Amino acid sequence: MRMIDRDEVRRRLTYELCIPIVREAMIAFSTGETRQLLRSFIPLADGRLFGIMPGALAGDGPFGAKLISVFAENFAKGLQSHQGLVILFDPDSGAPVCVAHAGEITAIRTAAASAVATEALARTDARRLAVLGYGEQATTHIRALSRVRPLEHVRVWGRSPERAADFVRRMRDETGIAMTVAGDVREAVADADIVCTVTGAAEPILQGAWVRPGTHLNLVGSSHAGPAEVDNDLVVRSRFIVDSREGALAQGAEFRNARAAGLIGDGHIVAEIGEVLAGRIEGRRSDEEITVYKSLGHVVQDLASVWALYSTEG
């Protein structure tokens, strides 16, 4: 049994490696090559969650599961909010062969998936990024999106201006990209070409009226039914694309809220991102269209990432 710890994941699972892996995994998912069950969550005390995500890369491919806890308050303690393991089984013998650090895998592959969606859906001239949140996913999203668009400026909003300023200083030093702190969400997105919502917000913080035509948004922070980062108006106004139809219908909070209000039907989900990547369904149709990628995250992304690390020397 091989153990791939956090340091090895961080060192070897680069965005240059992970972005193509996630891209191919989502195409395979949408063409029916992969196998997975709808993930399940066990609610714990104080809003904490324990998630179980089983799947297989193909009928005769590697398979396994992710076991993950979600403790949002960990950020304030300097810990990852997502803690757990990805367990990989050999496709030939059926034996468990690898355990990998799920928190670091999740941090990188989630941002890589948003980068894949941004590359497919954002305008080609997109240069200005707004990030709502300043936690781990804010860090990884800036790193990942800078690989698919030549970012000229990043505006960051968070509930604590002091923490947002600290985050901006650190990321500006790391990336060399111009960055500023926004006083509020409306200011953050006012001139953005790309918006990433990576917060733990329970109620919408972003209104559709604040988003200008032509913007692409990655909705990432809410990963289960309940908390929602954006309002119904934004969902209604957007060309709404998801990582999984089944997942979004069952667990995509923003979509479910707009549907429950009678504003949209199931058909408002125009595509899975894998269908867009495969050329089966058109993504962005004009420079004025608002596109949304709703990310819930799927175990095939984790398994494909771990399989790449396990099956190659590092």
Side-chain angles (χ1 to χ4, degrees):
M1 175 75 71
R2 180 177 171 191
M3 175 66 190
I4 301 178
D5 63 17
R6 183 179 184 184
D7 288 341
E8 183 177 353
V9 173
R10 186 187 296 116
R11 175 174 57 86
R12 295 183 57 212
L13 191 62
T14 65
Y15 295 102
E16 288 75 14
L17 175 65
C18 193
I19 289 171
I21 287 172
V22 170
R23 186 181 193 278
E24 292 307 311
M26 296 317 294
I27 292 173
F29 173 83
S30 292
T31 55
E33 296 176 37
T34 65
R35 310 282 190 274
Q36 71 177 65
L37 300 177
L38 189 65
R39 62 191 180 166
S40 60
F41 286 103
I42 298 173
L44 306 173
D46 302 319
R48 299 165 175 173
L49 300 170
F50 177 55
I52 306 162
M53 303 166 64
L57 294 182
D60 58 353
F63 59 96
K66 180 162 77 170
L67 307 177
I68 193 94
S69 65
V70 184
F71 281 41
E73 72 275 15
N74 278 2
F75 174 68
K77 305 174 186 176
L79 301 172
Q80 289 182 302
S81 60
H82 290 63
Q83 303 271 348
L85 302 170
V86 178
I87 305 169
L88 190 70
F89 289 73
D90 181 78
D92 296 321
S93 68
V97 291
C98 182
V99 175
H101 190 284
E104 198 65 20
I105 293 285
T106 301
I108 295 169
R109 67 82 161 146
T110 302
S114 291
V116 167
T118 299
E119 187 172 33
L121 299 174
R123 299 192 325 269
T124 57
D125 64 348
R127 300 289 184 270
R128 295 180 299 275
L129 170 65
V131 178
L132 308 184
Y134 45 60
E136 181 176 52
Q137 281 298 331
T139 299
T140 57
H141 271 71
I142 292 172
R143 290 171 179 166
L145 266 63
S146 68
R147 267 65 173 188
V148 299
R149 287 292 186 275
L151 301 178
E152 295 176 352
H153 189 269
V154 179
R155 199 179 300 275
V156 177
W157 172 85
R159 295 189 188 279
S160 166
E162 294 78 15
R163 287 183 177 178
D166 288 343
F167 174 83
V168 162
R169 282 191 291 270
R170 175 170 59 83
M171 292 305 296
R172 186 192 298 131
D173 291 344
E174 176 187 319
T175 66
I177 301 170
M179 297 190 192
T180 55
V181 177
D184 56 34
V185 174
R186 186 170 190 166
E187 177 189 339
V189 305
D191 63 352
D193 304 314
I194 306 165
V195 177
C196 295
T197 63
V198 289
T199 73
E203 299 293 335
I205 55 171
L206 176 58
Q207 297 182 24
W210 300 341
V211 176
R212 65 177 188 158
T215 304
H216 169 68
L217 300 99
N218 300 303
L219 309 185
V220 180
S222 172
S223 59
H224 59 97
E229 296 182 290
V230 307
D231 69 0
N232 291 344
D233 179 53
L234 180 55
V235 175
V236 172
R237 291 178 59 203
S238 68
R239 185 161 174 83
F240 203 84
I241 295 166
V242 300
D243 49 11
S244 162
R245 276 191 180 84
E246 181 186 19
L249 291 171
Q251 300 174 337
E254 293 88 359
F255 177 84
R256 288 167 56 88
N257 287 352
R259 185 181 61 182
L263 301 174
I264 58 171
D266 291 356
H268 190 67
I269 297 175
V270 298
E272 293 177 342
I273 191 62
E275 294 174 304
V276 174
L277 297 170
R280 295 169 56 189
I281 298 178
E282 190 175 11
R284 172 174 292 279
R285 297 173 300 181
S286 75
D287 285 346
E288 298 300 305
E289 193 164 47
I290 295 173
T291 55
V292 163
Y293 167 64
K294 175 56 187 175
S295 169
L296 289 168
H298 290 278
V299 73
V300 294
Q301 299 171 355
D302 303 286
L303 295 175
S305 298
V306 175
W307 179 250
L309 298 180
Y310 172 75
S311 58
T312 58
E313 296 295 328

